[in-house]
Each structure stands twice: as structure tokens, then as C-alpha cells.
Amino acid sequence: MIKNLAIGTGRRKTAVARVFVREGNGTITVNGKDAKDYFVTEEQVKLINQPLLVTSSDNKYDILITVAGGGLNGQAAACLHGISRALVAIDEDSRTALKANGYLTRDSRMPERKKYGQRGARRRFQFSKR
């Protein structure tokens, strides 16, 4: 039986990531695929690795992530948040390094809702004088 060392939940926009940290050698699996295969750009993969590099635990743990909702950038940021929370659950001393980089703060920015009588959140229909 595989035992989870810690579980972390990360959120960004409408994306929610469940992160399971296990003993291992540093593989990151996202929705059953390798992180490099799941995320399209190299920046998204680097973003996920940031909390591991900051706490110098990039080869200590295997990370299993299930992420849903949003787009790939929001999902990558949700994974970063979840990994950071899980690492703090394992080792409380890593909190200072992660907090200094802003990885424990949930980015609360959300898209503004579309208003009635308008084309979008801010965009209006074209005004016609005549």
C-alpha cells in the first residue's frame, strides 16, 4: 500500500488541484501523465517545480496531482499552490521559504462577470448615434 506523506489543495481561478506527496525520487504525475507531457509550455512545468527547488526537495518526493477546471495556466498555478501547502504539511520549517516567495498565498483574482445588456464584462455594444 502506498502511503501519502501529505495532501494539499491548490486553487487558482476556477482550477482546483489535489496534490498527494509520497516517498520517491522526484517524479511529478498530473492526471495520469508526466508533468512535461500534460503541460504544453516549459514555463508551466518550471512553475510547478518552483516550490520543490525553493525547499531543496526536488528529488525526495513523488508527487501525484489530479487537477480539474480552468485552463492550463490556471491549473499550473493551482498545482504550485497545492504542492506548497503539502510541503508545509510535511515540514513546517519550509513555510518561511515558501511564504517569502509567495507560494502559499492563494491568488484570488477571478474573471469579472458578464453584465446584462453588454457584450462582456466591460465591453459594450457599439453605440449608434443615428
Side-chain angles (χ1 to χ4, degrees):
M1 167 116 179
I2 300 167
K3 187 177 183 307
N4 293 326
L5 295 174
I7 300 171
T9 305
R11 294 184 184 88
R12 171 75 174 99
K13 291 188 177 180
T14 55
V16 180
R18 291 183 303 174
V19 178
F20 305 94
V21 180
R22 301 169 174 171
E23 284 291 338
N25 55 5
T27 59
I28 300 176
T29 309
V30 182
N31 289 353
K33 294 182 184 177
D34 188 59
K36 291 178 181 73
D37 297 332
Y38 185 81
F39 290 109
V40 179
T41 64
E42 191 64 36
E43 286 79 28
Q44 292 166 341
V45 178
K46 283 181 184 174
L47 189 71
I48 289 178
N49 287 321
Q50 288 303 313
L52 297 168
L53 295 172
V54 167
T55 57
S56 65
S57 56
D58 47 338
N59 292 326
K60 281 188 197 173
Y61 308 114
D62 282 348
I63 297 175
L64 181 78
I65 304 171
T66 54
V67 66
L72 287 176
N73 279 325
Q75 287 184 352
C79 292
L80 168 113
H81 189 223
I83 291 169
S84 301
R85 281 181 158 185
L87 288 174
V88 168
I90 292 171
D91 181 23
E92 193 65 37
D93 297 333
S94 61
R95 177 180 284 277
T96 52
L98 291 168
K99 195 155 180 70
N101 286 298
Y103 297 151
L104 293 175
T105 307
R106 194 252 200 242
D107 192 345
S108 61
R109 293 176 295 171
M110 293 287 281
E112 196 174 321
R113 77 173 199 87
K114 183 196 170 296
K115 278 69 167 198
Y116 58 87
Q118 292 180 204
R119 229 174 74 182
R122 301 276 176 99
R123 181 84 167 92
R124 307 305 203 249
F125 287 114
Q126 186 170 348
F127 176 72
S128 171
K129 198 168 195 174
R130 282 175 202 89

